[in-house]
Amino acid sequence: MTDSFPIRKVDHVRFFCGNAMHTAEWYRRLFGFDIQAYAGLETGMKDEANYLLTENDVRFLMSTPLLPDHPLAEQLGRHGDFVQDIAFEVDDVDLAFKTATSRGAKAFSGPRTLEDSFGKVRIAAIHTYGDVVHSLVNRDDFSGLFLPGFRPVDKKGDPVGIEFVDHCVGNVEWNGMNKWVDWYANILGFEQIQTFDDKDISTEYTALMSKVMQSGNGRVKFPINEPAEGRKRSQIEEYLIYHGGPGVQHVALHTSDIINTIKLLKSRGMEFLQVPRTYYDTLFERVGEIDEDLNDIADLGILVDRDEEGYLLQLFSKPVEDRPTLFYEFIERKGAKSFGKGNFKALFEAIEREQALRGTL
Ligand code: FE2
């Protein structure tokens, strides 16, 4: 089968935030990112400050509007700090933009060339759900740092071992899941690889539906959630209320040593969802033998699940903002290509305990 919309990989994830200087430093100290590049007033960027954070293949861009009439300033007020762009690296920006828009994607910005003494970068962007966009980037003719106009920064972090973006999850509006599943299928040529309905993902109180979309080469995975009716308000509904509409719910970062990654993150103050200790009583019966020491896994509260191809270890942070919106997943895949379905119930009950504390259940 030919890939009708070739995407090399997730190029970077851009966060729009109220104070990128502070946010960049928080991510450096907790996640161990290097702050590698900067663009702002001092480099000739008139309306934004931007900090590029890198750790292995994970690239986060923290951006702040500098002026009240910045086109995205209103969105920031509405959503709070939010994931504004999941950018793709593509072979041919013009062709990708033309293909997407001819299939019905709404243009955010047409193809343009950014240039400095290190060469040229071609870039464009299309809208997806909520106020999120997908930039399309090609920097084959560029030898500089990230994008033209950025200057190097030498602020090193102490890495926690995150390697690449495993998947990004979108929470969409009520009854919107299939619309966005079709959007990724029809416009970006993604295929649906998994479905979870309310029988898979429901607790005594709340429910949600989810489908997982994957790019042609399998390197980009986007689960899409919508709320479902339950006896109480689901975490997706809570997100939609506090985010002010659809948006990115969590970004999953892959590590090859989740025990060390979680130990480091906890020692730096990162807070995680906690499952009851009884989760571990039947773990081996459920997932069989694993390489890791059960005591380490249980002490750190790491979740384990198995599918036909192997197993995975994962752990979810609490929201990383005052609004109960964006959070992180840390995941180590040992063959498994799935998303931890066996953990959904324990996980959602943990989220509901947090919701109850917030009074938002
Ligand atoms: Fe996830």
Side-chain angles (χ1 to χ4, degrees):
M1 243 175 64
T2 56
D3 186 351
S4 77
F5 196 93
I7 294 172
R8 290 181 185 170
K9 61 176 184 182
V10 170
D11 184 85
H12 66 276
V13 178
R14 167 157 124 133
F15 298 76
F16 231 62
C17 40
N19 189 336
M21 181 197 284
H22 286 195
T23 303
E25 190 59 26
W26 188 85
Y27 276 83
R28 184 177 79 85
R29 290 186 191 199
L30 261 78
F31 290 68
F33 284 101
D34 292 339
I35 302 178
Q36 201 185 42
Y38 167 80
L41 289 174
E42 301 82 350
T43 69
M45 190 174 274
K46 299 272 185 276
D47 62 345
E48 280 181 12
N50 285 280
Y51 297 78
L52 176 70
L53 278 61
T54 61
E55 185 167 343
N56 297 310
D57 277 340
V58 184
R59 276 202 288 216
F60 285 178
L61 184 66
M62 304 302 171
S63 306
T64 290
L66 295 174
L67 295 164
D69 60 355
H70 185 289
L72 301 180
E74 248 175 53
Q75 293 182 5
L76 185 56
R78 178 166 176 78
H79 303 305
D81 295 0
F82 73 109
V83 173
Q84 186 263 336
D85 187 356
I86 303 169
F88 301 135
E89 189 188 350
V90 297
D91 298 335
D92 183 334
V93 169
D94 294 75
L95 178 64
F97 181 79
K98 201 174 147 217
T99 304
T101 49
S102 72
R103 293 173 181 171
K106 198 175 144 202
F108 177 78
S109 55
R112 65 195 193 281
T113 300
L114 307 174
E115 194 169 359
D116 69 8
S117 56
F118 294 97
K120 293 176 183 175
V121 171
R122 194 80 172 147
I123 191 164
I126 54 171
H127 285 274
T128 176
Y129 53 82
D131 284 325
V132 183
V133 308
H134 290 308
S135 281
L136 310 164
V137 189
N138 180 283
R139 55 168 75 74
D140 289 352
D141 298 322
F142 183 65
S143 61
L145 269 172
F146 190 54
L147 291 176
F150 278 71
R151 74 174 187 203
V153 173
D154 189 23
K155 271 197 179 176
K156 294 272 185 262
D158 185 4
V160 296
I162 51 176
E163 299 164 328
F164 57 87
V165 173
D166 186 272
H167 59 276
C168 295
V169 180
N171 282 344
V172 301
E173 64 274 18
W174 283 92
N175 306 313
M177 177 181 67
N178 286 327
K179 173 186 151 186
W180 290 105
V181 162
D182 290 347
W183 189 93
Y184 279 100
N186 298 336
I187 292 177
L188 300 188
F190 282 34
E191 59 167 344
Q192 187 184 320
I193 54 169
Q194 280 176 43
T195 306
F196 307 107
D197 62 21
D198 48 2
K199 285 184 275 308
D200 300 315
I201 322 183
S202 70
T203 64
E204 187 186 348
Y205 296 123
T206 70
L208 66 92
M209 313 266 271
S210 188
K211 288 184 177 175
V212 182
M213 302 303 289
Q214 175 174 279
S215 66
N217 65 9
R219 283 188 211 139
V220 182
K221 295 186 194 79
F222 289 163
I224 298 170
N225 300 331
E226 70 177 16
E229 289 292 351
R231 277 169 55 200
K232 295 195 176 181
R233 186 191 284 160
S234 76
Q235 48 160 319
I236 311 304
E237 203 177 342
E238 182 195 40
Y239 177 99
L240 294 174
I241 291 168
Y242 283 91
H243 184 75
V248 173
Q249 177 208 40
H250 75 267
V251 176
L253 300 167
H254 191 271
T255 164
S256 292
D257 184 357
I258 196 166
I259 290 178
N260 190 46
T261 297
I262 299 300
K263 269 185 191 159
L264 287 170
L265 287 165
K266 284 196 165 179
S267 74
R268 297 176 193 182
M270 187 98 186
E271 293 193 68
F272 294 93
L273 290 175
Q274 238 184 318
V275 293
R277 192 84 188 188
T278 52
Y279 170 91
Y280 298 96
D281 294 348
T282 56
L283 184 68
F284 282 148
E285 287 164 36
R286 201 160 58 72
V287 302
E289 283 298 310
I290 56 172
D291 302 337
E292 292 73 16
D293 184 277
L294 181 64
N295 287 322
D296 284 345
I297 296 288
D299 287 346
L300 293 165
I302 292 168
L303 310 176
V304 191
D305 195 28
R306 185 177 284 279
D307 63 21
E308 308 74 46
E309 291 165 284
Y311 68 97
L312 62 83
L313 305 114
Q314 62 187 170
L315 189 56
F316 297 83
S317 79
K318 291 187 182 178
V320 295
E321 324 196 348
D322 294 308
R323 297 192 195 203
T325 52
L326 179 71
F327 61 87
Y328 285 92
E329 172 181 350
F330 299 90
I331 182 166
E332 179 174 357
R333 293 187 182 277
K334 295 218 157 161
K337 296 204 181 84
S338 54
F339 295 84
K341 180 174 159 179
N343 292 322
F344 285 171
K345 194 165 160 53
L347 178 65
F348 295 135
E349 285 169 352
I351 294 176
E352 283 166 17
R353 285 191 289 277
E354 298 292 319
Q355 280 183 272
L357 290 175
R358 294 192 283 263
T360 59
L361 184 61

